[in-house]
Amino acid sequence: MLAALALLALVLYRARRSDPFTPRTVAGLRLIGAVLLAGMIGALLEGAAELVLDRTVDSARTAGGFEVAIGWPLAGLGCFVVAEILARGTRMRDDLATVI
């Protein structure tokens, strides 16, 4: 989560300092989406590690388990959607610049 927030701060800083409709902004948002999707994998690995650790304490019962981490993929897909909107805006701006 900290990596995604740091990347978001960097992308927002660059967008405010220059034009937000740049391929660099789109790439940054896609990277944030990938990091958030990797967070979902991290949550699954955390659940697996919890189960393994639980088995070492008491093999007769299981207290650990997997939690459904729906927020990670939703946030990642949201970043991909915003990146595609900005990519379309970038293409439209480039087309407009060639017309005028």
Side-chain angles (χ1 to χ4, degrees), residues 14-90:
R14 288 180 185 158
R16 287 180 181 163
R17 292 285 180 206
S18 65
D19 184 21
F21 291 99
T22 62
R24 191 173 189 183
T25 304
V26 173
L29 285 171
R30 287 180 180 156
L31 181 61
I32 293 170
V35 166
L36 289 172
L37 289 179
M40 179 186 65
I41 295 169
L44 291 175
L45 290 175
E46 178 187 1
E50 185 179 326
L51 284 175
V52 169
L53 181 62
D54 186 45
R55 286 289 183 185
T56 62
V57 174
D58 186 9
S59 61
R61 63 182 187 90
T62 302
F66 288 99
E67 293 181 16
V68 178
I70 195 73
W72 290 101
L74 285 179
L77 291 175
C79 283
F80 284 125
V81 167
V82 172
E84 287 305 310
I85 292 169
L86 287 177
R88 181 154 172 94
T90 302

